[in-house]
Amino acid sequence: MPDDLLRHVIGPTPYSSLWLWLAIALSVLLVGWYAGVFLFTMPRRRLGTVPLVGAARDRMIRYRAARTVRAIGDRYRAGEMSAGAAGEAVSREVRRFLHQVTGVRAEFMQLDRIERSEISPAAPLLTNLVDIRFNPESTLDVGLVSRDAEELIRSWA
């Protein structure tokens, strides 16, 4: 075979790098899918014991509850809500927050049981919120109580 024809012979065609990136993306997507299924199907009680996930979950709960209480206080200060309605909304959000963070069923507890439970630091705030909700002659300012509720949520250990 003459040497001048060797210049027409080439090696195998290399594969496109697109296939490599597609395989990497699909692998990451598969691992993410399994992690998501694992985390979303895990019971809430056990989810808090996972170190990184539990801390992120608590931070998200705290952030969402504080943002909601601030929005209720802003709506009250803007005149969109009455004092009773704002007190009820703040109380509901604080009780929901306490239940999510501690597991104590604060939504259904009376104040005397709250004072004897592990969420007793929240009892004075909840007492003020009950006074605002049910006492039309209450001298408590809903704006200040909502700030206290936001501070309680942000500082809850």
Side-chain angles (χ1 to χ4, degrees), residues 121-135:
L125 174 70
L126 292 171
T127 302
N128 290 342
L129 289 169
V130 166
D131 185 45
I132 289 171
R133 281 178 65 189
F134 298 113
N135 183 5

Side-chain angles (χ1 to χ4, degrees), residues 14-111:
Y15 66 90
S16 173
S17 64
L18 176 69
W19 293 111
L20 173 67
W21 291 111
L22 181 64
I24 290 171
L26 288 175
S27 298
V28 168
L29 185 66
L30 181 68
V31 168
W33 173 264
Y34 276 109
V37 167
F38 176 73
L39 290 176
F40 286 116
T41 58
M42 181 183 274
R44 294 255 185 232
R45 287 175 293 231
R46 285 189 38 212
L47 187 62
T49 62
V50 178
L52 186 60
V53 176
R57 177 184 164 271
D58 288 346
R59 180 178 289 164
M60 290 298 294
I61 290 170
R62 187 172 286 119
Y63 174 75
R64 190 197 67 207
R67 186 183 65 208
T68 303
V69 168
R70 182 182 308 129
I72 293 167
D74 291 344
R75 285 182 59 199
Y76 170 75
R77 284 187 280 284
E80 297 174 16
M81 295 179 82
S82 68
E88 178 184 357
V90 170
S91 176
R92 183 175 49 244
E93 188 60 37
V94 168
R95 287 174 182 258
R96 181 181 303 138
F97 166 76
L98 291 171
H99 173 68
Q100 289 176 340
V101 171
T102 64
V104 174
R105 304 281 302 203
E107 298 103 330
F108 308 109
M109 292 176 71
Q110 300 293 327
L111 287 175

